[in-house]
Amino acid sequence: MARQKAISVKIATTKVIKALETKLAQIQKDKDSQATNEAKYQKLSEKHNKEVAKLAVSAISKATDLSAHKRYNGEVAVSFNLPAGSIELPEAPEKDFTTYHEWQYREMIEEIENAIRILKMTDEETVSTSTYNAIARYL
């Protein structure tokens, strides 16, 4: 098996700082709009589920494994299976945004801000490969 040669990449520090600042702004923007995007997606998902339920109820005569249960709080749960091809499902909504958990967001922001701070303090004109590898996931 052949050994891979190490790659030596020299990227201007100013370009890396600019890219990190851009990514930082994008992550902050995504996090700020996350609640709004989640609410929109939730509404679309509910609408989709209701459309599927209407289609399924209209084909209930083809249902198998039909069951109904009354729960402790008075709610009624109904479930059944439909044979493949009984109904044509509408297209489900897609999540076209990134969701960050609070801990994940704080960790990413801290790492990026620290990297920017350190890169601004350096006198080097280029970023070493090891430094670039450490921050590459944000670029």
Side-chain angles (χ1 to χ4, degrees):
M1 192 155 111
R3 278 182 66 183
Q4 292 183 349
K5 230 179 180 182
I7 298 173
S8 179
V9 178
K10 295 194 182 219
I11 301 171
T13 303
T14 54
K15 287 183 180 180
V16 174
I17 291 171
K18 180 69 177 159
L20 286 172
E21 288 172 339
T22 302
K23 185 63 175 182
L24 180 64
Q26 181 63 46
I27 291 171
Q28 289 170 332
K29 180 181 167 213
D30 289 348
K31 180 65 174 160
D32 291 342
S33 61
Q34 181 172 314
T36 305
N37 289 336
E38 285 284 353
K40 287 179 187 175
Y41 178 74
Q42 186 66 30
K43 283 182 181 179
L44 289 173
S45 291
E46 287 175 15
K47 181 181 175 191
H48 174 262
N49 290 341
K50 286 181 180 181
E51 288 174 11
V52 170
K54 284 180 185 177
L55 291 170
V57 168
S58 69
I60 195 119
S61 61
K62 300 175 186 175
T64 60
D65 297 326
L66 185 61
S67 66
H69 304 282
K70 186 174 181 182
R71 296 186 178 166
Y72 69 94
N73 61 0
E75 289 182 353
V76 177
V78 178
S79 66
F80 57 91
N81 295 330
L82 291 173
S86 302
I87 60 173
E88 189 171 326
L89 295 176
E91 192 170 322
E94 290 187 27
K95 205 172 192 179
D96 61 350
F97 57 94
T98 304
T99 302
Y100 298 110
H101 296 287
E102 194 60 38
W103 63 267
Q104 181 184 30
Y105 171 73
R106 282 192 305 252
E107 183 179 281
M108 288 170 52
I109 295 299
E110 184 179 336
E111 282 186 45
I112 293 171
E113 286 175 341
N114 286 342
I116 291 170
R117 199 173 303 112
I118 290 168
L119 289 171
K120 284 183 175 180
M121 287 191 268
T122 187
D123 293 332
E124 298 292 323
E125 290 184 22
T126 59
V127 175
S128 70
T129 304
S130 62
T131 302
Y132 186 77
N133 284 338
I135 59 172
R137 67 183 173 144
Y138 299 116
L139 303 175

